[in-house]
Amino acid sequence: MTEDDAEFSLRRRAERRADAKIAFRTHLLTYVLVNAGLAALNYATSPGDWWVVWPMFGWGIGLFAHGFATFVETGDMRERQIEKELKRLRARRS
């Protein structure tokens, strides 16, 4: 692998990580805005029954998983799986 190839590969990886972080921030902003609207609707229509906690909780689980996948290093599992598959395919070809 040449230095240019390594730099290109590193840039692609950085772009993927940056895109994932931007996507998470968009997801978080959407969560906050939509749930604020739902809370306002809940308060206006039935203030004694706080049903809004259920969609917040369910969506919050998904948001947590998205954040975990975005910000917690998992040892680059995807890259390891790709390398494993490449090795297997090269062995079959030989």
Side-chain angles (χ1 to χ4, degrees):
M1 181 179 271
T2 67
E3 189 175 324
D4 287 340
D5 290 341
E7 185 63 27
F8 179 74
S9 177
L10 193 60
R11 178 165 176 85
R12 281 188 38 208
R13 187 173 178 197
E15 287 174 350
R16 282 195 311 265
R17 289 184 53 81
D19 289 343
K21 290 176 181 180
I22 291 168
F24 175 76
R25 289 184 185 113
T26 302
H27 188 183
L28 178 61
L29 179 63
T30 303
Y31 174 84
V32 169
L33 293 175
V34 169
N35 284 302
L38 286 175
L41 179 66
N42 186 178
Y43 182 73
T45 59
S46 55
D49 180 26
W50 284 99
W51 53 262
V52 73
V53 298
W54 298 111
M56 287 174 126
F57 178 72
W59 192 351
I61 292 171
L63 185 63
F64 175 80
H66 189 175
F68 186 85
T70 301
F71 293 105
V72 175
E73 286 291 327
T74 57
D76 229 356
M77 186 175 6
R78 182 174 184 271
E79 290 299 323
R80 284 184 286 152
Q81 290 298 321
I82 290 170
E83 287 300 320
K84 184 178 175 180
E85 282 300 312
L86 283 171
K87 184 187 279 186
R88 187 181 68 79
L89 291 171
R90 286 180 184 131
R92 280 172 93 189
R93 187 175 59 183
S94 298

